[in-house]
Amino acid sequence: MADASRDEAIVDAVHLSIDMQNIFAPGGIWEMRWMERVLPSIVDITARYAARTVFTRFITPPSSG
């Protein structure tokens, strides 16, 4: 038996994109292997749901203190 809640459209969700920064891209100072793999999906989702996408980013502090 199918779950009825799975068949309903998601209307209140947002796409939270965390730390999609160039420093993690190939050649970046903190290069991450996952960036090239996930970037096309992130671009696609944000293009379709721009108003429901929230980007965050890590900002390094001026000192470790």
Side-chain angles (χ1 to χ4, degrees), residues 33-61:
R33 290 179 289 184
W34 53 258
M35 180 64 97
E36 279 188 299
R37 181 173 39 90
V38 303
L39 186 58
S41 295
I42 301 299
V43 170
D44 181 52
I45 292 168
T46 58
R48 289 186 288 143
Y49 304 103
R52 293 170 48 184
T53 300
V54 177
F55 283 95
T56 69
R57 69 180 185 148
F58 174 73
I59 301 173
T60 55

